Amino acid sequence: MNELASIIQLGNPILRQKAVFIENVQDEKIQNLIDELITSVAQANGVGIAAPQIAASYRLFIVASHPNKRYPHAPEMPPTAMINPQILAHCSEMVKDWEGCLSVPGIRGLVPRYQTIEIEYTDRNGNLQKQELTDFVARIFQHEYDHLEGLVFLDRVENNQDLISEEEYQKSVMGNG
Ligand code: ZN
């Protein structure tokens, strides 16, 4: 069993690096990294995590959508490893919603994202997958993809007034349902 990897936080330069392409998905190191990420996201009860967040600067993230208080209709999906992901196309419409990040504790931001995106990635068995994602899952994908480019959600908010504390978020946003 792997020990739980610690999640690095804003200020660690790895979060600002462009992550490297994965040449060999079957590499034991990569397969172990996938398992480690799946364990980490489950422990944190998160909906996504990118490899750079555990200090492994590879183009790999996990999307693990599940229904939650704010998104009761979020699709329930098994934690899915997406390797060398790409956004092939996107709609013109952007929607704003609140995001948080395991690497940016205590802060929430109102972030514009494309509502619908067409994506591809290699799965952990080495097969190329193409999908159209919308709404919450599209948002998770774009948030995690940004991590591979050295960006965090703070870079995407339109102004500082769209940043609030976790405590205020819990009180006002969650409180209003
Ligand atoms: Zn994040």
Side-chain angles (χ1 to χ4, degrees):
M1 289 292 283
N2 291 321
E3 268 179 55
L4 184 63
S6 59
I7 294 171
I8 61 171
Q9 301 194 348
L10 190 68
N12 187 312
I14 295 170
L15 286 175
R16 293 313 198 169
Q17 287 172 12
K18 202 172 149 109
V20 300
F21 186 86
I22 294 172
E23 301 286 349
N24 180 8
V25 173
Q26 310 299 345
D27 188 331
E28 199 184 328
K29 185 178 63 178
I30 296 300
Q31 291 291 324
N32 287 341
L33 182 56
I34 291 169
D35 292 334
E36 234 177 315
L37 285 165
I38 289 173
T39 305
S40 295
V41 77
Q43 291 244 349
N45 196 31
V47 292
I49 192 169
Q53 291 183 272
I54 60 167
S57 198
Y58 290 102
R59 301 189 81 77
L60 155 65
F61 54 70
I62 308 295
V63 174
S65 169
H66 52 81
N68 53 70
K69 196 172 166 194
R70 282 200 49 242
Y71 300 96
H73 304 294
E76 177 90 56
M77 56 188 280
T80 304
M82 299 186 175
I83 298 149
N84 301 326
Q86 289 196 67
I87 297 173
L88 302 175
H90 57 76
C91 66
S92 55
E93 196 186 346
M94 297 189 98
V95 283
K96 281 193 212 174
D97 209 342
W98 294 98
E99 292 184 18
C101 180
L102 298 171
S103 296
V104 188
I107 303 276
R108 296 277 174 161
L110 200 53
V111 185
R113 300 285 188 191
Y114 296 112
Q115 188 164 25
T116 303
I117 53 175
E118 196 186 315
I119 57 113
E120 72 174 21
Y121 64 90
T122 300
D123 68 21
R124 71 179 301 170
N125 300 315
N127 300 313
L128 191 66
Q129 303 286 345
K130 273 192 193 204
Q131 281 173 19
E132 186 177 281
L133 304 179
T134 57
D135 299 326
F136 186 55
V137 183
R139 176 169 297 277
I140 299 170
F141 186 100
Q142 290 168 84
H143 177 115
E144 302 309 334
Y145 184 86
D146 272 354
H147 279 302
L148 309 186
E149 296 293 305
L151 296 171
V152 295
F153 76 91
L154 303 174
D155 304 320
R156 298 285 190 190
V157 298
E158 289 175 346
N159 65 69
N160 289 339
Q161 293 180 18
D162 289 341
L163 294 171
I164 64 172
S165 75
E166 178 70 26
E167 198 181 336
E168 283 299 324
Y169 171 81
Q170 294 293 339
K171 269 199 301 208
S172 52
V173 183
M174 295 289 275
N176 292 337

